[in-house]
Amino acid sequence: MNLVLALFGFCSFFFLVAAEDPYRFFDWNVTYGDIYPLGVKQQGILINGQFPGPEIYAVTNDNLIINVHNSLPEPFLLSWNGVQQRRNSFQDGVYGTTCPIPPGKNFTYKLQVKDQIGSFFYFPSLALHKAAGGFGSIKILSRPLIPVPFPTPADDFTFLIGDWYKLDHTILRRFLDLGHRLPLPQAVLINGRANWTTFTVEQGKTYRLRISNVGLENTLNFRIQDHTMKLVEVEGTHTLQTSYSSIDVHVGQSYSVLVTADQAPKDFHIVASTRFTEKILTSTAVLHYSNSQGSLSDAIPGGPTDIDWSIQQARSIRTNLTASGPRPNPQGSYHYGTINISRTIELVSSAALVNGKQRYAVNGVSFVPADTPLKLADYFKIDGVFKVGSIPDSPSGKSTHLDTSVMGANFRSFVEIVFQNRENIVQSWHIDGYSFWVVGMDGGTWTPNSRNQYNLQDAVSRSTTQVYPRSWTAIYMALDNVGMWNIRSEFWARQYLGQQFYMRVYSDAGSQRDEYLIPENALLCGKAVGRKTTPL
């Protein structure tokens, strides 16, 4: 009897361990519709009639099945900013990996938020659709048994902030296609509105605010009148819990803060305003105490004005080494500072005229899309679509030229990437498929001696980093995710006009332990039409 009970217990444990992770199903219809973010009618991109789109709420390791119906009159794709797509770049939703969804058709994304927690967002990646909406938040919670380094908040609010144009996105796209720069945006939005969104809180309680900059080019400063914000998470990493009066959120970045309603009961301004711009654009919302006894003040609190403040804040954001991440082990147990660098890549951004038209480049190469997604061409071994090594590891000194730029990299190598900004603007860079450690940033030109000032203990791990004017930012990255991954400027006009490339992280093992097979429902386009997606 004891043996039977033991075997029964073992089998129960085996099936418990082997059980598949939960599934969450979404059915989305993407349409054009009338929106009024600035009080006047504009054409926007709606998902199930919503602007911004529906929120994705998930738990670590959940499988997300998202059926997207494209009811636009043009091809469409969604990408998932910060979701790592482990072993599965086919689902990344950028044109280098995924065929666009044709008008009137649908495609079902199958994602797993494997070993991830935190605050992220999705957005449309083609044809400057991002300037028309189609974005929404992604919240990935820890599994119930994994401790979180702060008490459960009373509520969890989303703030999607970003700059906005009154002009239709098709007009903006025409500007770029003709080789012109975009004009300056006209407004800033908070959750799709320029003003008067209200968030109600109870006095004495603490709330989590997830803040994502879903805009096109501007850094935004976020602040709440008379309240401090305790930073607790950045793009999937629990941080040292430092308090700030305001936070600079660069394009593509996401932050989580805790705010306690510890003031006298009244209404307070929530403010998002542009940074590093000659004309400051401001949007406000309202923090409303449920027992409010005072009206909103007329004066909107101002934000910081100098760039040094922003740099010092960026350097103060560190990983909480005593907190668990998505797995039950401290985040600091992976000692990135003790791993030998196998390769240094220096990425220098630039702007130039090519054939009389405005273009933007990385290491002198301005990206042009191929007629076939690069990942499909790689998988099916289709020649003539791209060439590995078409972008160098550092600037070659040659004049800016056009190419379908792909950089090769070996699976399981550990690389140092330096983003060098020689221009007088703040830049923002994102890497799909990964998070990376931001080990250093400073003014001037990076040299090997710059490593002496790196943070090799508790640098924050994230997927989007800023680079200040005429400055550099250095990151360390473990190439542990096989696939074709987009490295891009988050300034969307620059990305559209070539400031991006793909990194092909390659394993010669050909094993599903390293990378999944192509999805059976994968859309095929270009030279991949007619190929088989089902295993033989």
Side-chain angles (χ1 to χ4, degrees), residues 444-461:
T445 300
W446 180 91
T447 70
N449 289 334
S450 302
R451 296 183 181 126
N452 295 331
Q453 60 179 284
Y454 282 4
N455 174 5
L456 300 182
Q457 301 298 322
D458 60 354
V460 69
S461 178

Side-chain angles (χ1 to χ4, degrees), residues 77-380:
L77 269 180
L78 284 173
S79 190
W80 321 90
N81 209 71
V83 176
Q84 292 178 12
Q85 314 288 0
R86 305 296 301 177
R87 299 187 288 166
N88 198 16
S89 63
F90 293 105
Q91 305 284 357
D92 201 31
V94 290
Y95 187 66
T97 64
T98 312
C99 289
I101 307 170
K105 303 294 184 180
N106 73 296
F107 175 70
T108 301
Y109 291 89
K110 300 176 181 179
L111 322 176
Q112 186 181 25
V113 288
K114 178 68 175 172
D115 290 335
Q116 285 195 266
I117 59 165
S119 309
F120 310 98
F121 64 91
Y122 62 87
F123 68 96
S125 62
L126 294 182
L128 221 67
H129 287 148
K130 191 181 182 187
F135 45 73
S137 70
I138 303 173
K139 296 178 180 178
I140 308 175
L141 302 187
S142 295
R143 288 173 288 179
L145 296 180
I146 307 299
V148 175
F150 49 86
T152 302
D155 208 340
D156 191 326
F157 295 129
T158 293
F159 288 81
L160 299 177
I161 61 176
D163 49 17
W164 188 258
Y165 286 87
K166 292 180 182 177
L167 295 172
D168 187 274
H169 76 283
T170 59
I171 297 174
L172 298 175
R173 189 168 67 210
R174 198 172 307 130
F175 267 109
L176 297 177
D177 290 340
L178 291 173
H180 303 305
R181 300 187 183 205
L182 291 184
L184 295 176
Q186 284 83 44
V188 169
L189 303 186
I190 299 175
N191 291 354
R193 299 182 65 181
N195 291 294
W196 310 122
T197 301
T198 298
F199 298 84
T200 300
V201 297
E202 293 185 32
Q203 191 175 27
K205 292 188 176 182
T206 298
Y207 297 82
R208 184 173 185 171
L209 280 56
R210 299 176 190 256
I211 310 156
S212 295
N213 187 336
V214 298
L216 298 180
E217 64 178 70
N218 280 293
T219 298
L220 299 178
N221 182 264
F222 184 89
R223 54 198 182 273
I224 302 176
Q225 183 181 21
D226 296 339
H227 290 72
T228 58
M229 297 178 289
K230 182 183 291 184
L231 184 66
V232 294
E233 177 255 331
V234 171
E235 294 161 26
T237 298
H238 290 305
T239 62
L240 291 180
Q241 296 183 11
T242 305
S243 293
Y244 301 102
S245 58
S246 67
I247 291 180
D248 277 352
V249 187
H250 303 273
V251 186
Q253 292 186 338
S254 297
Y255 291 84
S256 278
V257 300
L258 299 179
V259 175
T260 300
D262 55 5
Q263 300 299 304
K266 55 174 289 190
D267 290 354
F268 297 88
H269 289 287
I270 302 171
V271 185
S273 61
T274 55
R275 290 277 272 135
F276 321 121
T277 55
E278 190 170 326
K279 179 183 178 182
I280 297 177
L281 303 174
T282 299
S283 178
T284 61
V286 178
L287 187 73
H288 170 71
Y289 279 45
S290 59
N291 60 339
S292 177
Q293 298 174 4
S295 59
L296 196 66
S297 67
D298 293 332
I300 297 173
T305 57
D306 63 292
I307 200 166
D308 288 340
W309 181 94
S310 185
I311 295 171
Q312 293 307 314
Q313 181 176 86
R315 288 172 173 163
S316 72
I317 298 173
R318 305 292 184 91
T319 295
N320 183 345
L321 297 180
T322 64
S324 291
R327 295 179 296 276
N329 59 291
Q331 293 187 139
S333 63
Y334 188 88
H335 297 294
Y336 68 92
T338 63
I339 302 173
N340 292 329
I341 300 166
S342 58
R343 179 179 177 186
T344 296
I345 300 168
E346 184 182 4
L347 302 178
V348 178
S349 59
S350 60
L353 294 178
V354 179
N355 301 325
K357 292 186 177 182
Q358 181 65 56
R359 298 292 299 186
Y360 298 95
V362 186
N363 290 356
V365 187
S366 186
F367 183 85
V368 289
D371 61 358
T372 306
L374 310 181
K375 183 60 195 172
L376 297 187
D378 199 28
Y379 184 85
F380 290 120

Side-chain angles (χ1 to χ4, degrees), residues 17 51-52 101 118 148 272 285 397 416 452 473 478 482:
V17 171
F51 169 73
I101 307 170
V148 175
E416 172 187 49
N452 295 331
T473 294
V482 172

